[in-house]
Amino acid sequence: YNEKGKLLKDIIKNAEDTSLQTEYEYNEYGILVSKVNYKDFKEIGREDTPEDEIQKQCQQFVDFCRGDNPKKGCKTNAGHRKIVSKSVRGIQLEGVPDIIIKTTNDYAVGDIYYPKTYVEYIGVYHYTPLNITKRIKVSEFKETNMPICK
């Protein structure tokens, strides 16, 4: 398993013939990339998932992550955007004032944010800006180590 709890490798013994095993290997998105068959711990066959099939499944993952419901667990940024504010909570981007992204990168106001990883939903908080009486709802996200698949 990786640090996010995703299964990366699994080995299954054949119930009828315990000398047969199959090893399944997955990428960080949970997509099967290879299946290797063993007999008495010696490789007897291998099936690799074609790259175009991996990319197709990866795109399905991306489409799922781009949904409007942030509680789906991941989200991509809608393109490259200018950073308009920075605080201890994170950065805010031009055009999306209701989202804050926690980042470990050292951005400055005015920089362009180029997302390289998915961001994960943290939660929502409300605050009242100094010059406005209306409370604002902000969704918080944090960068992950899961790269955006192309």
Side-chain angles (χ1 to χ4, degrees), residues 61-101:
F61 177 83
V62 170
D63 292 344
F64 171 79
C65 285
R66 286 190 177 144
D68 292 330
N69 179 1
K71 292 186 179 178
K72 285 184 176 176
C74 53
K75 190 176 180 114
T76 56
N77 186 315
H80 310 308
R81 294 182 185 256
K82 184 177 179 181
I83 297 170
V84 293
S85 73
K86 180 180 176 182
S87 70
V88 292
R89 288 195 94 109
I91 57 174
Q92 282 186 293
L93 306 174
E94 188 174 56
V96 284
D98 58 341
I99 290 178
I100 287 192
I101 300 172

Side-chain angles (χ1 to χ4, degrees), residues 27-97:
N27 68 11
E28 66 269 29
Y29 303 101
I31 297 168
L32 180 68
V33 294
S34 69
K35 179 175 137 180
V36 182
N37 294 311
Y38 295 92
K39 181 166 176 75
D40 296 323
F41 304 104
K42 292 181 184 168
E43 186 176 320
I44 57 171
R46 178 183 189 95
E47 294 176 43
D48 291 323
T49 305
E51 187 60 35
D52 61 332
E53 179 61 27
I54 292 172
Q55 290 306 314
K56 179 181 162 190
Q57 291 183 44
C58 191
Q59 186 59 48
Q60 290 171 349
F61 177 83
V62 170
D63 292 344
F64 171 79
C65 285
R66 286 190 177 144
D68 292 330
N69 179 1
K71 292 186 179 178
K72 285 184 176 176
C74 53
K75 190 176 180 114
T76 56
N77 186 315
H80 310 308
R81 294 182 185 256
K82 184 177 179 181
I83 297 170
V84 293
S85 73
K86 180 180 176 182
S87 70
V88 292
R89 288 195 94 109
I91 57 174
Q92 282 186 293
L93 306 174
E94 188 174 56
V96 284

